[in-house]
Amino acid sequence: MSELTELSYALDTFYFLICGVLVMWMAAGFAMLEAGLVRAKNTAEILTKNVALFAIACTMYLLVGYYLMYSSPEGGILPNLGVLLGSENGIDAVLAGGDDAPYYAMRADYFFQVVFVATAMSIVSGAVAERMKLWAFLAFAVVMTGLIYPVSGYWTWGGGWLSAAGFSDYAGSGIVHMAGAAAALAGVLVLGPRKGKYGKDGSIYAIPGANLPLATLGTFILWMGWFGFNGGSELKVSDVASANNMAQVLVNTNAAAAGGVIAALVVAKLWFRKADLTMTLNGALAGLVAITADPLSPSALSAALIGAVGGAIVVAAIVALDKLKIDDPVGAISVHGVVGIWGLLAVPLNNGDATFGAQLLGIVGIFAWVFLASLVVWGILKAIMGIRVSEEEEYEGVDLVECGQEAYPEFSGSGK
C-alpha cells in the first residue's frame, strides 16, 4: 500500500506540474495576442512588459505572495505575514493517510499557483498598452503580484471569508480574470485614452493592430494553455472520479471556447455587417473566461451555451466601453472583467451547492478590493514617477522611448 500511495503522490505531482507548464505557456499567448493588437511602433515594449511581468510575478509570489495566500487560519480577512514557501511534504505525512494527508508536492502547488498570478498581471499589460511608462507598469506589477492578488486569493482559495461564505470559483473567472480586469480598469482610468482615439465631438476612431496573424496565434496558444488552467484546478488525477472530472473539464473548456467564437462571429456579422476577426478572437477568450468559474458541473452542451453567452457579451462590452471612452487596446477589461462576472453568475445554474448571493458577494468583494487598492497604487505611482509617456513620445512609439529598439525596423526605414 505504501508503494501505491507513493506512486499516486508522484502521479498527482507530475500532473500538477505539467498543468502548470501549460498555464505558463499562456504567457506566450498573451505576449503574442498583445503584440498583434498594438501598433508596430509599440511592439517591442509590450513584449518586454510580458517577459518582465512574468519574472516579477514569479519572484514576488515566491518571496511573499504564496505565504500570504495560503498560510493563514481559515475564515479571516487579513492573512498572516511571512516569506518564502516553507518545508516540503515529508514521506511520513504522505503515508499517514487520511483526509489531511498531502497527495502532491507543495512545490508543485506553488508552481501551479504562481503562473495564475502571472496570468492576472498579463491582463493588465494589454489594457494599458501604447501609452504607459514601462517602469511604472513594472512597479505596479510588484505590488499587484506580491500583495493585491494574494490577499483576495486568500479570501477565496486560501480559505478566507469569501470561501467561508460559500463563494464558488473553480479555476478563477473572478479570482484571476476579474481581478486582473479590475486592476486594468483602475490603471486605464488614471492613465486616460490614447491620443487620437476619441474626437472632441464624441466620435470613436479605430486604431488597428499591426499583426493579426500574431494575435490569432496568441489566441490559439491561450486556448491550449487553458486546458492546464482549468484541468489542473481539479487538483488530482490519480483516481477514477478525479480522472473523469478532468476529462469533463477539458471537454467543457473546449466547448465553451468554440461557443464563444461562434457567438461573437455571428453577433459581429449582424452588428457590423462584417466577420470581425478581433471580435472573433475575443469571443474565444470570452468563452474560456466564462466557463472557468465552473468547467465541471455543466454538460458539454451547457458549457457551449455558457461560452456563447460570453462571446455575445464581449462584443457588446467592447463597444460599450469605447462609448464610455475607456480605451482598452486589446479588449482585456471586457473579456476578463465583464465576462468574468457572467461566468461567476452562471455557476449556480449548474452547481446546486452555489448560490447567487454568495457569488454576488464574491464579485463585489474581489472587484472592490482589487480596483480600489490598484487605484491607490496607480495614483501613488503617478505622483512619484508619472505613469504616462509624453504626447511626443507616444506619437514616436514607446519601442524607441522605452526600449531603444523596434520590433519591425525594416518596415519603419530604420533597418537595413
Side-chain angles (χ1 to χ4, degrees):
M1 287 299 294
S2 64
E3 291 181 356
L4 186 60
T5 300
E6 289 188 50
L7 181 62
S8 176
Y9 181 92
L11 176 60
D12 286 329
T13 296
F14 180 74
Y15 141 80
F16 220 16
L17 290 170
I18 293 302
C19 286
V21 169
L22 280 172
V23 181
M24 184 274 170
W25 185 230
M26 291 174 69
F30 278 113
M32 294 301 98
L33 177 69
E34 293 170 18
L37 293 179
V38 301
R39 287 167 289 181
K41 62 184 180 180
N42 300 312
T43 307
E45 193 264 358
I46 200 84
L47 295 172
T48 304
K49 280 166 57 176
N50 274 273
V51 175
L53 75 86
F54 187 85
I56 289 170
C58 292
T59 303
M60 292 306 300
Y61 202 65
L62 170 66
L63 292 175
V64 293
Y66 185 79
Y67 194 100
L68 286 175
M69 196 160 164
Y70 288 106
S71 300
S72 300
E74 294 184 356
I77 296 175
L78 296 177
N80 289 335
L81 300 178
V83 296
L84 302 179
L85 303 182
S87 58
E88 186 54 274
N89 300 321
I91 189 169
D92 291 339
V94 174
L95 297 179
D99 294 338
D100 295 331
Y103 54 90
Y104 53 75
M106 192 180 73
R107 264 46 177 186
D109 183 60
Y110 160 77
F111 181 72
F112 186 69
Q113 296 295 337
V114 75
V115 287
F116 276 54
V117 185
T119 297
M121 192 61 218
S122 294
I123 294 166
V124 183
S125 66
V128 300
E130 301 202 297
R131 72 273 202 205
M132 174 170 277
K133 290 182 177 180
L134 173 63
W135 290 96
F137 173 83
L138 298 181
F140 177 79
V142 170
V143 183
M144 176 69 180
T145 59
L147 176 64
I148 297 175
Y149 174 92
V151 168
S152 54
Y154 158 64
W155 291 347
T156 49
W157 288 336
W161 68 278
L162 284 177
S163 176
F167 175 67
S168 178
D169 191 0
Y170 185 97
S173 286
I175 297 166
V176 179
H177 295 279
M178 187 185 68
L185 177 61
V188 168
L189 292 178
V190 175
L191 192 61
R194 291 168 290 174
K195 296 298 181 183
K197 176 63 177 175
Y198 305 113
K200 294 180 179 179
D201 60 354
S203 55
I204 301 169
Y205 299 100
I207 302 178
N211 196 324
L212 291 184
L214 263 191
T216 304
L217 174 63
T219 300
F220 274 118
I221 292 173
L222 288 167
W223 193 328
M224 176 183 173
W226 229 287
F227 295 129
F229 200 97
N230 287 355
S233 296
E234 175 61 21
L235 307 181
K236 192 175 186 180
V237 76
S238 61
D239 58 62
V240 173
S242 297
N244 286 344
N245 285 350
M246 185 182 179
Q248 184 68 50
V249 165
L250 264 61
V251 168
N252 285 353
T253 299
N254 193 60
V261 167
I262 293 168
L265 181 62
V266 171
V267 170
K269 176 62 177 175
L270 294 174
W271 198 339
F272 313 125
R273 306 299 180 190
K274 301 292 181 182
D276 189 299
L277 174 60
T278 57
M279 289 296 185
T280 304
L281 298 179
N282 277 326
L285 300 179
L288 290 162
V289 170
I291 201 61
T292 294
D294 185 6
L296 177 60
S297 301
S299 66
L301 181 58
S302 294
L305 293 173
I306 290 170
V309 173
I313 288 173
V314 79
V315 176
I318 289 171
V319 173
L321 289 183
D322 246 353
K323 290 183 177 179
L324 293 171
K325 296 187 177 181
I326 296 174
D327 184 17
D328 178 357
V330 303
I333 298 169
S334 299
V335 170
H336 302 276
V338 178
V339 180
I341 292 171
W342 153 243
L344 291 171
L345 293 176
V347 173
L349 300 178
N350 296 282
N351 186 342
D353 295 329
T355 66
F356 286 107
Q359 296 304 96
L360 285 169
L361 182 65
I363 290 167
V364 173
I366 295 170
F367 185 89
W369 159 249
V370 177
F371 178 78
L372 293 175
S374 299
L375 202 62
V376 170
V377 175
W378 288 125
I380 292 172
L381 290 173
K382 183 177 180 179
I384 293 175
M385 61 190 300
I387 63 173
R388 181 162 185 151
V389 298
S390 69
E391 187 171 342
E392 181 181 346
E393 290 170 335
E394 185 179 344
Y395 178 79
E396 184 180 3
V398 290
D399 279 5
L400 290 173
V401 172
E402 297 284 9
C403 303
Q405 58 188 176
E406 296 174 284
Y408 309 108
E410 66 273 23
F411 296 116
S412 66
S414 60
K416 295 182 180 179

